[in-house]
Amino acid sequence: MNFAPLPSVDAASVPADALVLDVREDDEWVAGHVEGALHVPMSDFVARFGEVTEAVADGRRAYVMCRVGGRSAQVTQYLVQQGIDAVNVDGGMLAWDGAGRPMVTDSGSPAFVL
């Protein structure tokens, strides 16, 4: 069986206004996340799939992110199989932070990658 290569981008090239889909768990999200990202933990993904399809209904590309890129790769593959324009963010939040991209917390405390 042949699989197409997984579409991916590096953190530095994610557009500022992109739809970032964060599939990390709640504790990781609380520590720090991309402002405006859609948070749907991988463990809840199938149950909350409707939120994702709603977010990309206008044909927006989803930039899928986790901590280092493993979970997001699985989710990206699933989305692509559903016909959704999705790309995996290589290196995840660690690469995002390493590229100096902004992160926020809901509490206002300093953001970090858990």
Side-chain angles (χ1 to χ4, degrees):
M1 199 169 187
N2 236 346
F3 288 102
L6 190 68
S8 63
V9 296
D10 61 86
S13 63
V14 175
D17 62 348
L19 169 63
V20 174
L21 174 60
D22 191 325
V23 299
R24 298 175 303 150
E25 295 305 313
D26 290 338
D27 58 337
E28 295 173 286
W29 170 266
V30 168
H33 54 268
V34 177
E35 189 167 11
L38 175 61
H39 180 225
V40 182
M42 188 173 170
S43 56
D44 296 341
F45 199 77
V46 175
R48 294 177 57 192
F49 185 63
E51 291 173 52
V52 178
T53 56
E54 203 172 283
V56 298
D58 57 0
R60 287 181 81 185
R61 166 173 283 178
Y63 291 83
V64 188
M65 184 137 53
C66 64
R67 184 171 184 269
V68 293
R71 288 170 286 178
S72 56
Q74 294 176 54
V75 170
T76 300
Q77 187 171 25
Y78 177 76
L79 291 172
V80 169
Q81 288 168 348
Q82 309 306 310
I84 292 171
D85 182 7
V87 293
N88 189 37
V89 178
D90 276 335
M93 285 298 293
L94 288 176
W96 182 272
D97 190 30
R101 301 293 302 262
M103 295 187 303
V104 297
T105 61
D106 295 334
S107 65
S109 58
F112 66 97
V113 179
L114 184 64

